[in-house]
Amino acid sequence: MKLRTVGRHLREGAKNISRNGWMTFASVSAVTITLLILGVFLLLAMNVDHIAKSIEKQVEINVMLDLLAEDADIAAVEQQIRALPGVATVTFVPKEEGLNQLRKSFQDQVYLLDGLEDENPLPDKFVVKAERPQDTSALAAQIGRFEHVDKVIYGQGHVEKLFAVTDIIRNVGLVFILLLSLTAMFLIANTIKLTIVARRREIEIMKLVGATNWFIRWPFFIEGLIMGISGALIPILLLGVGYYFVLQAAQSTPLLAGTLLPLFPLVYQVALLLVAIGAFIGIWGSLVSVRRFLRV
């Protein structure tokens, strides 16, 4: 395609935006409102997934060792654990450190533990984390069969329920986002279609005087691209400002402080998604709508 022709298509596409003011406004408004709703649910879904992952990362296996295990036995158990596939970290916690941790958890009632320093009843232990939290149960079962391992504690029963709930939340969120995206495409494409239907005479005349299909399509392609991107800009601004205030409110709430994703790079990621969706829908809606009028 010649550079002069490209310039002509760009000018025509831009002119069509201003030439069809109210129809363009309706199309851009449809893109804006739909992408704003989609953006809100994207932010919600991404934060829910982040919180679920944070909770999953806290799952760990406490490997209690036999009270009679010696240093060589402890080293052998550690070597066996590290050799297992799917193990992320292995941390040895001697019984003295375990007692100190227990003291901290008792806070004001720490006096109840007085006298245990001489005859510490706690066992040495390993704290093990899996690369994939979902593999925790399988790893715990394998470790529990090792010699000199007295007990394995990882919240059996509760951990499986936790993973089942987080998987459901993720799947429901994904399905909802996909359905909302398809709905957005349908609504926006139909709104853009109205702007093209109003200019069907123009398309038919160009076709009758010998214009090729792609010569006719390109200005509409540019027009749809501009409308799609323009419609994404306002939602990006509103979502960025709105999420900033949500984060400020969350910082003053102990339950939510530090649990939400930071403003950056989250806003950049959502902005990129919305611009891509808006551009795609604008182009797709224009090309699909103009196709029916090219059969003259």
Side-chain angles (χ1 to χ4, degrees):
M1 186 184 296
K2 295 180 180 179
L3 187 61
R4 184 174 59 185
T5 306
V6 173
R8 181 262 173 196
H9 292 327
L10 290 173
R11 286 193 302 273
E12 284 299 312
K15 283 180 183 178
N16 289 339
I17 294 289
S18 58
R19 192 181 299 159
N20 303 278
W22 284 109
M23 296 304 294
T24 298
F25 176 76
S27 297
V28 173
S29 298
V31 176
T32 299
I33 294 170
T34 312
L35 290 185
L36 179 60
I37 297 171
L38 180 59
V40 169
F41 281 98
L42 275 172
L43 288 174
L44 180 62
M46 293 170 79
N47 274 287
V48 167
D49 183 64
H50 171 69
I51 293 170
K53 285 180 179 177
S54 299
I55 294 172
E56 289 173 353
K57 286 179 181 178
Q58 295 175 23
V59 176
E60 59 187 25
I61 306 169
N62 287 284
V63 182
M64 306 299 183
L65 299 174
D66 192 329
L67 290 172
L68 301 177
E70 298 181 356
D71 291 344
D73 300 325
I74 294 171
V77 172
E78 181 176 4
Q79 188 175 2
Q80 286 178 297
I81 294 173
R82 291 186 183 278
L84 290 174
V87 172
T89 61
V90 180
T91 306
F92 177 63
V93 181
K95 56 185 179 182
E96 294 80 14
E97 185 178 337
L99 182 60
N100 290 333
Q101 292 176 357
L102 189 61
R103 283 181 173 280
K104 291 178 182 178
S105 66
F106 269 63
Q107 296 180 352
D108 297 337
Q109 296 179 315
V110 68
Y111 62 88
L112 296 174
L113 302 177
D114 289 346
L116 293 182
E117 295 85 354
D118 298 330
E119 295 184 10
N120 190 342
L122 299 179
D124 295 320
K125 71 175 183 178
F126 288 105
V127 177
V128 181
K129 287 192 176 184
E131 290 178 354
R132 291 182 67 255
Q134 291 78 4
D135 295 334
T136 299
S137 300
L139 276 176
Q142 294 180 70
I143 295 171
R145 293 193 288 267
F146 292 163
E147 190 178 0
H148 303 296
V149 171
D150 180 50
K151 191 188 304 181
V152 174
I153 302 172
Y154 66 97
Q156 186 175 7
H158 301 290
V159 167
E160 290 82 359
K161 289 179 182 177
L162 170 67
F163 293 145
V165 170
T166 54
D167 285 343
I168 290 171
I169 291 172
R170 286 194 184 98
N171 292 333
V172 169
L174 180 61
V175 170
F176 196 82
I177 292 296
L178 288 174
L179 290 175
L180 192 59
S181 299
L182 291 173
T183 304
M185 289 176 64
F186 176 77
L187 291 174
I188 295 170
N190 276 280
T191 306
I192 293 173
K193 184 178 179 180
L194 294 176
T195 67
I196 295 174
V197 169
R199 289 148 59 194
R200 60 186 181 277
R201 291 279 184 193
E202 176 186 340
I203 298 171
E204 291 171 357
I205 292 171
M206 291 176 68
K207 183 68 176 175
L208 289 171
V209 299
T212 64
N213 288 346
W214 275 107
F215 187 85
I216 298 170
R217 282 191 182 110
W218 271 105
F220 290 101
F221 175 94
I222 301 298
E223 184 180 352
L225 178 64
I226 294 173
M227 285 193 293
I229 293 176
S230 299
L233 296 180
I234 296 176
I236 290 170
L237 178 63
L238 292 176
L239 290 169
V241 173
Y243 191 69
Y244 170 79
F245 285 110
V246 168
L247 286 177
Q248 294 301 310
Q251 293 304 317
S252 59
T253 307
L255 187 63
L256 294 176
T259 59
L260 299 181
L261 286 165
L263 185 62
F264 303 104
L266 179 62
V267 170
Y268 294 144
Q269 295 168 346
V270 173
L272 185 61
L273 278 171
L274 292 184
V275 168
I277 292 171
F280 172 77
I281 292 174
I283 294 168
W284 177 76
S286 296
L287 293 182
V288 169
S289 301
V290 78
R291 184 175 57 187
R292 59 176 295 196
F293 300 111
L294 295 176
R295 303 189 187 96
V296 178

